Amino acid sequence: MKIAVLGASGRAGSEITKEAAARGHEVLAIARNPEKIAAAPGVTAQAGDASAPAALSALISGGDAVISALHFDVPAETLLSAIRKAGVPRLLVTGGAASLEVAPGQRLIDSPDFPEEWKPFAMGGITFLDALKQVDDVDWTFFSPAALIFEGPRTGTYRPGTDRLVTDDAGESRISFADYAIAMIDELEVHKHSRARFTAAY
């Protein structure tokens, strides 16, 4: 597939770019500072700004999918307008874990031990997901990670979920950026979660 990765120089974006290219996809890796994108076969680094939808639509036109690994300072509608104008059929988003349920009706962000300083960023992800839920003309997928996503090895294993936080026997919810990228590209290829959210953890 021909895919564009937004935020391709970041931790999640760089792993997603690497994983997609390793599987033979043609990757347009877009970042404000493309010189930070690692050179690799199948990867074309390109300067771009997702907050400028007209310019972004020209870059991504003709692609099969866009994977956004951006922070949530770019509103959903801004990104969607570029995708609609470009005619790209799919959008996959690296989301946040805060809106995942830890008990029926209780989100992670509502837990008493959720750090107060994380809430402004976490609410950005929740707002973005809420906006996507109103969209029926773009085939979107929102990928919430584990509660802790860290620099670590590529194990090739993860356990998937949908709206409930995935935890291990010790009650921890963790995944490496490398394995998060595997789950994202698996979703790109298998397409199980159309206009839906999913999650993954060890």
Side-chain angles (χ1 to χ4, degrees), residues 13-198:
S14 60
E15 289 291 345
I16 289 166
T17 296
K18 182 166 64 175
E19 181 68 27
R23 297 200 202 182
H25 297 289
E26 182 182 342
V27 183
L28 179 65
I30 299 173
R32 288 178 178 170
N33 299 296
E35 67 278 2
K36 295 180 180 179
I37 297 169
V43 176
T44 301
Q46 174 70 53
D49 184 351
S51 65
L56 180 62
S57 68
L59 289 179
I60 63 177
S61 181
D64 298 303
V66 168
I67 299 178
S68 173
L70 299 168
H71 296 303
F72 296 115
D73 51 351
V74 177
E77 192 51 48
T78 300
L79 186 53
L80 287 164
S81 66
I83 288 169
R84 290 183 180 112
K85 186 174 181 180
V88 177
R90 290 184 67 193
L91 169 65
L92 297 90
V93 177
T94 60
S99 59
L100 290 168
E101 288 192 340
V102 293
Q106 181 184 1
R107 303 172 302 176
L108 180 62
I109 194 172
D110 301 321
S111 301
D113 54 351
F114 191 90
E116 196 66 31
E117 63 272 19
W118 292 3
K119 287 186 177 180
F121 175 76
M123 284 306 302
I126 291 170
T127 300
F128 201 103
L129 176 57
D130 286 344
L132 288 179
K133 288 178 178 178
Q134 308 306 312
V135 172
D136 59 10
D137 62 337
V138 174
D139 191 354
W140 58 269
T141 301
F142 190 90
F143 180 14
S144 290
L148 175 62
I149 182 167
F150 63 96
E151 301 284 355
R154 182 186 190 279
T155 69
T157 62
Y158 62 87
R159 290 181 298 138
T162 52
D163 293 312
R164 183 76 180 261
L165 187 73
V166 176
T167 57
D168 61 19
D169 291 342
E172 295 184 345
S173 178
R174 308 167 65 251
I175 196 168
S176 71
F177 281 102
D179 288 328
Y180 179 91
I182 291 174
M184 176 66 88
I185 303 305
D186 285 351
E187 174 61 26
L188 173 73
E189 295 176 343
V190 180
H191 201 177
K192 286 184 176 180
H193 301 92
S194 177
R195 297 190 182 94
R197 182 255 294 278
F198 77 106

